[in-house]
Every structure is written in C-alpha cells, then in structure tokens.
Amino acid sequence: MKLASYTLIAAAIVGLSACKQQAPAGTEASAPAAETASASGDTVKIGLAAPLTGNIAHLGKDVEYGAQMAIEEINAEGGLDVDGAKKKVALVSEDDQADPKNATTVAQRFVDQKIAGVIGHLTSGTSIPASKIYSDAGIPQISPSATALAYTAQGFKTTFRLTANDGQQGLVLAQYAVGKLNAKKVAIVDDRTAYGQGLADEFEKAAKAAGAQIVKREFTTNQETDFNAILTNIKSVKPDLIFYGGMDAQSAPLKKQSKKLGLTAIVMGADGTKSPEFLKLAGADAEGTFGSSAGQSVDQMPGGKEFKDKFKAKFGVEVQVYAPYSYDATKLMLAAMKQAGSADPAKYLPVLAKIEHQGLTGPISFDEKGDVKNAAVGVYTVKNGQWELAEMVGGAK
C-alpha cells in the first residue's frame, strides 16, 4: 500500500480522531515531517517501526507496548536528563506492515522527522533495508527481534540487536532435533522471507552437520494458510521432523493440517512460532510442537512475572514474545543518551556501542557488529496447552 501525503484537511481529521482515541501518555500517533519539525524542543522523539496491521500485528503491537511501557516509566520519573534539561520522551509509532518497501518509506519518514533513535523493525526483512537509511543518516537502530545474520553483517555502526541470530538459533534447534528428538529424516518448509529462509538455511546446515538427512525442502509465503499440497508431498517421504521457518500465523495452520493429514512427524518452529498466539491458533493440535526463544523467555527473567502482570493490566493482553526486548531496547537507548548527556545521535551513538546495561532480559552489551553478547537460545515444547522450557543454551551465567 502506498502512503499518501497528508493534506491540511486529512491532518485535521487525524487530529480529531487521535483526541477521541486518547492515546496513552508518552506515545503519539505518526505525524508528517512538517508537524514534527515544528514541535517544541523539550521532547525527545523515539521511533517505533513494526507491523501494526496484518497477520502478525499481535507481534508488532507487542514490541510497541514494550517500548511504550519503558517510555512511560522514564516520563513518570520526571523525564530524560539531556542537553542541560529534563525532557519528555515521546514514542512515534509507524506501521511498516512487515513489508520491505513500506519499511524504507517509514525509515525515510523517521529521518525527515529527525527522530533521535529507532526501536525496530520487527522482522529481518524490514530491518535490513531500513538499516541502510538509518546508517546513512547516522540514526541508531536497535531491533528487539530481527535475527537474520545479514542484519548486523553490513558493517553499519548504527545497527544493533538484542536477540540471538539465526545462526545461533538454527544450531541449537538442529542439535536438539537430532540429538534429543532422534530426528534422522527431516523436512524443511520456509516462507521465503529474510527471517524464515535464513533460519531454515541455518537449521538445514546444522542438521546435516549433526547427521540428519534432509528429505524434502519446500517453500511458501508469509501470507499462505493452506499447506495441504506441501504437507502431502512431505508425507510421502515419511520424515521424523518438519521444521518451519516463519511466523505463528503460518506455523499454526501448518501444524493443524499436518495432524489432519495423519502425519506423525514432530513439527518444530523457532521464535516466530513460540508465542501465545500460536497456542490460540493451533488449539489442541499445538500439543507436542517445538519452538524457541532467541533469548531468555519472560518467564525465566528476573522480574519477568512482575513485567507480565503490569503488561496484562495495562494493555489487556499477554506478552507475546518480544515486548521485554523492546522494553530493554528503549531503556538502553535512553540510558545511552543520559550517559552522553545528549539526544543527538552523533553524541550518544559511541556511548551506545560500548554500553553495559542491566536490563529486564539480562546484562546487555554489544560486540563489534552490534550483536548482543552472550545471547541465550531456549528450546520449548507445548505440553498441556502451554509452552514449557526443554533446554536453555547460552546466556549470561
């Protein structure tokens, strides 16, 4: 969908609508560059880019809510000490629709608005093209969720992530599949996105190295919900395990349809599958599915229960996957600004690159690429309708 420019009439309508919706304190709706540029100098604007509509909007809202919680806490403490004054922090949210083209449009809009820093994007397919625009403008970007190796392999000094990458996840999942689940024959399906395909490639490489045979490799899209043809082809080769690279909106129907077709193979996904939404979509057929967390699950985090309770009370929904990471990404970015004494990206970026921060998700610091150090990967399985930890690899000790 192309984004039309605002007219004066449209801006007035949006303004009235926003008033009626009464946006939570510390947040604001997306605004055109002219409006943002005319804002007073007592506000630090942080951008949030994620799919806020579409079939993975629940994950996009998850990261938006996490960032919103962090900002509201800072504002409740009196604001951010930068540039010789206490400043309010505002969140400017944009819907990239999980589409790479829309992501670059959003990124350019943030640059034009002189946003101080960006939390996002959610997916690897949007984070990668947007990162070039932020790098060219010198604006720091922290993704709470993009796992593709390519995201931090571009050499951009502005690019950071808080989760394990696909290489780490793929290795842990493959070794668990072969070593613990005794999967000798493996079928792989991916959604052809930067995330899904990259993760499937890493899983395939690690599974082969562990001694498994890849008996089928199939492809779909991140909009498909009918997997009967793919699963019928897979059924003919009798795999022990089916690995899916993609998100819960597809892995849930894939799991349900595999059960209906009588496949006995274990279904395994990654962090895009390990969500409450997957349990809801797959229902009773979710049982026995494997997924992962590209870091500690909120249930394993010190303070995780308190965070979950506050999140549920505030937003009326459960934490999906990435809210703790967007919360920490936002707090981390603001901490770097405070240490630098400035919200100017050129001044706080060097501080961010070398920062050591104790977050909800654990101790945070970055390597030379912008990857978080000591990333953990958890393997989970569905038992009695709930995700249960099977194994945790890595992380701070």
Side-chain angles (χ1 to χ4, degrees):
M1 181 178 72
K2 293 184 178 179
L3 301 174
S5 60
Y6 285 86
T7 64
L8 290 176
I9 294 174
I13 292 171
V14 170
L16 288 171
S17 175
C19 289
K20 289 178 182 177
Q21 292 173 357
Q22 295 181 326
T27 68
E28 61 182 50
S30 303
E35 181 183 333
T36 303
S38 65
S40 62
D42 61 356
T43 301
V44 175
K45 294 182 185 292
I46 302 296
L48 184 287
L52 304 179
T53 57
N55 63 8
I56 56 170
H58 56 286
L59 298 175
K61 296 301 289 185
D62 197 48
V63 300
E64 182 185 40
Y65 291 156
Q68 181 180 323
M69 281 183 65
I71 284 174
E72 290 183 3
E73 288 177 8
I74 294 293
N75 286 336
E77 294 167 0
L80 184 66
D81 282 312
V82 287
D83 303 313
K86 280 271 192 182
K87 297 194 177 185
K88 176 185 175 183
V89 183
L91 187 68
V92 182
S93 294
E94 288 278 4
D95 180 9
D96 66 17
Q97 301 176 346
D99 179 82
K101 290 183 180 179
N102 283 343
T104 57
T105 300
V106 166
Q108 190 57 55
R109 183 177 297 123
F110 281 156
V111 171
D112 294 342
Q113 293 177 20
K114 302 188 187 313
I115 292 293
V118 175
I119 308 302
H121 297 220
L122 174 79
T123 66
S124 296
T126 51
S127 294
I128 293 168
S131 65
K132 174 67 164 61
I133 295 171
Y134 300 134
S135 176
D136 289 346
I139 297 176
Q141 171 194 10
I142 307 176
S143 174
S145 49
T147 60
L149 292 168
Y151 172 58
T152 55
Q154 303 169 95
F156 299 152
K157 300 299 183 185
T158 52
T159 302
F160 304 89
R161 76 163 125 228
L162 289 192
T163 53
N165 62 40
D166 287 342
Q168 294 164 319
Q169 270 200 106
L171 176 63
V172 169
L173 286 167
Q175 289 182 341
Y176 191 90
V178 178
K180 301 292 176 66
L181 300 179
N182 200 31
K184 295 181 172 19
K185 296 168 65 178
V186 175
I188 297 174
V189 184
D190 76 73
D191 66 2
R192 294 286 89 178
T193 64
Y195 164 70
Q197 182 178 351
L199 182 60
D201 288 347
E202 293 299 320
F203 178 88
E204 178 176 2
K205 180 171 64 177
K208 286 179 176 177
Q213 177 188 3
I214 308 304
V215 292
K216 187 73 76 171
R217 180 81 189 248
E218 297 280 355
F219 314 112
T220 184
T221 75
N222 61 352
Q223 301 298 318
E224 186 58 76
T225 56
D226 182 355
F227 300 99
N228 283 290
I230 286 174
L231 290 169
T232 298
N233 286 337
I234 288 175
K235 186 177 181 180
S236 66
V237 296
K238 300 179 180 178
D240 302 313
L241 182 140
I242 301 169
F243 179 82
Y244 180 69
M247 308 302 281
D248 52 17
Q250 281 72 48
S251 58
L254 183 146
K255 180 63 166 68
K256 288 179 70 69
Q257 290 161 31
S258 71
K259 185 79 176 289
K260 189 174 181 179
L261 286 170
L263 274 83
T264 58
I266 296 167
V267 173
M268 175 180 278
D271 58 309
T273 288
K274 194 250 159 194
S275 71
E277 188 70 8
F278 174 86
L279 301 177
K280 176 182 172 183
L281 293 173
D285 293 332
E287 203 72 9
T289 305
F290 281 81
S292 66
S293 62
Q296 294 278 0
S297 171
V298 67
D299 295 312
Q300 272 69 51
M301 296 171 190
K305 184 182 185 306
E306 180 184 358
F307 180 84
K308 284 176 66 177
D309 291 345
K310 283 179 63 177
F311 191 95
K312 179 67 179 289
K314 182 170 186 58
F315 302 113
V317 294
E318 300 288 347
V319 170
Q320 288 290 323
V321 182
Y322 306 113
Y325 293 91
S326 62
Y327 174 88
D328 268 3
T330 307
K331 283 286 188 80
L332 182 71
M333 183 173 282
L334 297 176
M337 292 179 185
K338 184 176 180 180
Q339 286 185 31
S342 177
D344 180 347
K347 294 180 180 178
Y348 83 82
L349 176 58
V351 175
L352 179 61
K354 297 182 181 301
I355 200 166
E356 294 185 2
H357 178 80
Q358 182 61 47
L360 171 67
T361 60
I364 302 169
S365 60
F366 299 109
D367 66 16
E368 65 282 355
K369 288 184 178 180
D371 285 321
V372 67
K373 294 180 180 178
N374 301 315
V377 176
V379 179
Y380 292 78
T381 188
V382 180
K383 288 186 178 180
N384 300 317
Q386 298 296 322
W387 287 107
E388 185 175 300
L389 179 65
E391 181 176 88
M392 183 64 68
V393 177
K397 305 299 183 185

